[in-house]
Amino acid sequence: MRSFCTIGSCGFGASGLGVPSRVVTRRGYPRGNRDNGSVTTPSPTPTTGGRWLVGAAIVLLAVNLRVAVGSVGVVLDQVRGDLGMTATVAGVLTTLPVVCFAVFGVGSAGSVRRLGLHRAAALVLALLTLGLVLRSVVDDGTVFLLCSVIALAGAAVGNVILPPLVKAHFPDRIPLMSSLYGAALMGGAAAASVTTVPLSDAFGGWRSGIGLWAVLSGLALVPWLLMLRRDVHAPQVHEDRLSMRAVSRSPLAWAMLLIFAAQSAGAYAQFGWFPQMLGDAGVSSGYAGALLGLLSAVGLPLTLGLPWLIERVGDRPYLPWAFAAVTAAGWLGVLLAPATVPWLWAVLLGLGGGAFTWTLTMIARRTRTTAGTATLSVTTQGLGYLLAGIGPFGVGALHDATGSWDAPIIALIALSGLIAVFGTIVARPVMLEDTLDRRPRG
């Protein structure tokens, strides 16, 4: 047997945190404790300060990944007015997040492997900061779109490096760290949506309102700069490097991709159309907007409670079944009685959003190596977001074609059923590496 190091020279970096060397079997996979789907091997114990620093850095990174999205929607009317955006350009702006998450997510695998996870995280935050600053000072709608692409490209890479960062630094705390960064993603989006308008009012307009978020991303960059000297790279041992082509032959990878796509398609349909569905049923626009905020807020405590729930249910598929059931119930309520108890439909849909963090947690729990986690993350999120773009677009197209919300909502109910179907496959205690045919082909 032989061992290799996944971080620098296996020493402690600037953070005081080292990633242990891993024992590799003849098949090329690490050997360790598999009780929770992670690999744990004897290693030097990192300092408490190092654990705190890297954990805080991961959470701060996650907080910033939805700010570029959440800060624009609430001031879009002012942005359009000042920059002379046409309705077409504004429509492109609303679809940019999903497109960028897909394109740059898929395209980031090779770059992350070469850069290392710490340098990639620093690059993510640098792009976010640059994009947020530039788009707050431009005077042209098209240039505003290009600056938004810079920020969203950073966010796209950030999406796919979160699971391997957790796998590398917290292999024994995957559910906990995944729930923390999942809550941070939701919290960042909610904070940007809620506070951008007050910031704009307080500091003289929408430019300050969206530009001030660059301060947060700049601060989040600092700890990653401190950790650059001891970066985390995908293993250089040949048999431990996984290509997207190899992973695409895994049934587990396809199940992971499709559950992520189904959940994300429904979620972006909620963000784009839920208020209008309620508004067309007679709910006031202010109340409908507040209910969208409630929908997002409900997911925070559920996400933080996921480690406890995952520990209780183990590898049984009860959680994806529950997420699918409450999502379907929420949409059924919107279909049959949208204006009766709309707060209840918002709560049910918000609870169903727990499927997002559960799926991200499974990316790390269903892989043995950091390299496997990184490739599965890119495959799941990059291609998953590409498919998810069908959700909000398809809802709008069905509504225009039928003149009613009935057909789109029925389609969303059916879509929620896919969470249960593919979640059942993902919940099985099967590792990605065990589903791959790694034999050389003649």
Side-chain angles (χ1 to χ4, degrees):
M1 294 185 184
R2 51 202 172 98
S3 63
F4 63 89
C5 300
T6 59
I7 179 170
S9 58
C10 288
F12 294 99
S15 68
L17 177 64
V19 176
S21 60
R22 296 175 180 171
V23 178
V24 183
T25 67
R26 291 181 180 178
R27 292 186 64 188
Y29 304 138
R31 182 182 64 189
N33 185 349
R34 302 176 186 174
D35 291 343
N36 65 353
S38 64
V39 179
T40 57
T41 55
S43 62
T45 303
T47 65
T48 301
R51 296 277 283 190
W52 276 103
L53 176 61
V54 76
I58 290 172
V59 171
L60 279 174
L61 172 65
V63 167
N64 282 275
L65 297 185
R66 294 297 181 270
V67 165
V69 180
S71 61
V72 169
V74 292
V75 292
L76 184 56
D77 287 343
Q78 297 95 301
V79 173
R80 287 187 60 189
D82 283 359
L83 301 183
M85 280 187 183
T86 64
T88 300
V89 174
V92 171
L93 181 62
T94 60
T95 59
L96 267 184
V98 176
V99 173
C100 288
F101 290 168
V103 172
F104 292 103
V106 171
S108 66
S111 299
V112 170
R113 187 183 302 117
R114 290 188 294 271
L115 285 173
L117 292 175
H118 292 180
R119 288 184 178 85
L123 178 62
V124 162
L125 291 163
L127 289 173
L128 278 168
T129 303
L130 179 63
L132 291 171
V133 170
L134 289 178
R135 74 179 186 176
S136 70
V137 298
V138 299
D139 294 314
D140 180 81
T142 302
V143 178
F144 186 92
L145 287 179
L146 294 176
C147 295
S148 295
V149 169
I150 294 173
L152 291 170
V157 179
N159 289 339
V160 300
I161 66 173
L162 281 172
L165 276 170
V166 169
K167 183 73 169 182
H169 289 296
F170 296 92
D172 56 333
R173 295 288 186 271
I174 288 173
L176 173 62
M177 290 303 302
S178 297
S179 69
L180 287 176
Y181 78 64
L185 283 166
M186 297 178 187
S193 298
V194 170
T195 62
T196 296
V197 171
L199 286 173
S200 300
D201 294 340
F203 291 95
W206 64 265
R207 295 181 183 275
S208 298
I210 67 173
L212 283 171
W213 291 104
V215 175
L216 180 62
S217 58
L219 291 174
L221 175 60
V222 174
W224 294 106
L225 294 177
L226 295 176
M227 292 187 286
L228 289 183
R229 291 184 60 190
R230 287 289 186 267
D231 208 339
V232 179
H233 291 267
Q236 297 302 309
V237 181
H238 180 269
E239 60 266 29
D240 283 274
R241 294 182 62 177
L242 293 178
S243 67
M244 288 183 64
R245 177 178 297 181
V247 169
S248 69
R249 295 194 292 268
S250 167
L252 173 63
W254 278 102
M256 194 82 73
L257 187 159
L258 291 172
I259 187 177
F260 185 88
Q263 191 282 326
S264 297
Y268 279 93
Q270 291 169 17
F271 297 144
W273 298 109
F274 181 68
Q276 187 171 335
M277 290 175 181
L278 297 183
D280 288 352
V283 177
S284 69
S285 58
Y287 187 31
L291 289 175
L292 183 61
L294 173 64
L295 189 156
S296 300
V298 165
L300 288 173
L302 174 63
T303 296
L304 292 173
L306 266 181
W308 180 85
L309 291 172
I310 290 173
E311 182 181 353
R312 292 297 181 275
V313 303
D315 295 318
R316 295 181 291 272
Y318 299 157
L319 287 176
W321 291 355
F323 296 140
V326 294
T327 300
W331 284 124
L332 186 62
V334 175
L335 176 66
L336 299 179
T340 305
V341 280
W343 61 268
L344 178 58
W345 315 143
V347 168
L348 289 172
L349 291 173
L351 292 174
F356 173 74
T357 307
W358 182 83
T359 304
L360 293 181
T361 303
M362 290 298 108
I363 292 175
R365 283 172 61 87
R366 293 295 175 254
T367 51
R368 299 194 190 283
T369 65
T370 303
T373 306
T375 305
L376 184 59
S377 180
V378 170
T379 304
T380 299
Q381 297 194 65
L383 298 179
Y385 275 122
L386 186 63
L387 292 176
I390 299 173
F393 175 81
V395 167
L398 278 175
H399 178 262
D400 289 343
T402 63
S404 166
W405 290 113
D406 290 355
I409 293 174
I410 291 172
L412 289 168
I413 293 173
L415 190 66
S416 66
L418 298 181
I419 296 174
V421 173
F422 296 114
T424 301
I425 300 173
V426 172
R428 295 170 183 167
V430 176
M431 296 298 185
L432 171 72
E433 292 85 350
D434 295 340
T435 67
L436 304 177
D437 182 4
R438 308 286 295 270
R439 294 173 299 180
R441 299 177 182 272

